[in-house]
Amino acid sequence: EEAERDAGSDLQLEEVQLACFYFPDRSLLISIGNSHESEIVKAARRVLQNKRSVVRKDCIDSLSGGASSLLIVLLDSLMDQVFPILDIYGDALEGLGLLLSREPSHMHVRLSHKLKTRVTQIRRYLWDAKGLFMELKQDICGCIDKKKLLATLIDSTDQMDKEAESYLHTCTSIENFYASFQDSRMNKTLFTLTTATICLLPLQCLSGIWGMNFTEMPELEWEYGYVMFWCIALSLIGIAVIYTIRTNQISSSGSVILLEEV
């Protein structure tokens, strides 16, 4: 439980708020966040400090729309924070798959469910971000100059969405694998109980017949009646065991139908 609690705390998402106010007529962009040392601001600052950056050149020449380019850089830096998170979740799911294949446990399924919840949150965030980028690309007000950068941003968002979708499928496959493992273990338990019942059934049947204690039962007065009882009982038990094993082998092998891809 302590390991599960630590793993669950590591999967928590950190919320970062960023508000941007863009004034195209003045080529002015004002960004407000809950932390001035966030990775988003640091990434944008590195772009501005790079002398070869196109955004730096656009900001020097305000007529070329440097503010809109800076807005796209901030949005791109915001989206770049999602890739490492998805990579961490992907590695965690891969490790869970290996652990589940070796020693299936309910704790692994619970961690997979938590990962599934986090990935679903990220995917909703990606949907909202893609909707925003599509509106900016339409540029109804005519204030965005760098539409190619927006197209690249939309493509990267689609890529992250596909990656998140694949992780959701992995979570579902982990849950299905554990469910099938539980069903297989339950089937084995039921098979063991059924085998024991079938094997003991002849013994119970013979005991019930000769346990009626009728006065005119010649087997009760025979010298070797007790030996005869066990010989018949063991013979019937052996037949029942062989029949059960043979039936299990036939049902396990079964008929396999192979479908060739056209």
Side-chain angles (χ1 to χ4, degrees), residues 151 167 231:
Y167 292 156
C231 290

Side-chain angles (χ1 to χ4, degrees), residues 81-239:
Q81 305 304 313
V82 182
F83 275 112
I85 299 175
L86 287 177
D87 290 339
I88 293 174
Y89 288 174
D91 294 339
L93 286 173
E94 185 178 356
L96 277 178
L98 293 175
L99 291 175
L100 196 66
S101 62
R102 295 177 181 176
E103 187 179 356
S105 173
H106 184 64
M107 182 184 67
H108 301 151
V109 181
R110 294 179 62 181
L111 289 177
S112 175
H113 181 71
K114 290 183 179 180
L115 280 170
K116 187 176 182 179
T117 303
R118 300 292 183 266
V119 174
T120 303
Q121 292 177 356
I122 292 177
R123 202 176 182 197
R124 291 176 181 174
Y125 159 74
L126 292 174
W127 290 342
D128 295 337
K130 184 179 179 180
L132 174 62
F133 299 155
M134 293 297 292
E135 292 180 1
L136 290 176
K137 187 179 179 181
Q138 292 177 1
D139 193 13
I140 299 176
C141 300
C143 57
I144 303 296
D145 297 331
K146 305 296 182 180
K147 295 184 180 180
K148 291 183 179 180
L149 296 178
L150 276 175
T152 304
L153 199 57
I154 292 173
D155 293 338
S156 62
T157 305
D158 290 335
Q159 181 181 355
M160 285 186 287
D161 182 54
K162 292 179 181 179
E163 186 176 355
E165 184 179 5
S166 65
Y167 292 156
L168 290 178
H169 290 316
T170 303
C171 293
T172 304
S173 63
I174 289 176
E175 295 173 359
N176 293 336
F177 175 81
Y178 184 75
S180 62
F181 171 77
Q182 289 289 87
D183 293 339
S184 177
R185 186 165 61 180
M186 181 63 66
N187 291 334
K188 289 181 179 179
T189 303
L190 293 177
F191 176 76
T192 302
L193 294 176
T194 304
T195 303
T197 303
I198 293 175
C199 293
L200 295 178
L201 186 60
L203 184 62
Q204 295 175 357
C205 181
L206 294 177
S207 300
I209 292 175
W210 281 314
M212 292 184 292
N213 294 325
F214 286 117
T215 55
E216 297 182 359
M217 293 185 69
E219 296 88 348
L220 300 178
E221 299 178 358
W222 288 357
E223 181 180 0
Y224 298 101
Y226 182 74
V227 178
M228 179 195 67
F229 168 80
W230 280 110
C231 290
I232 297 175
L234 292 177
S235 299
L236 293 177
I237 290 174
I239 294 173

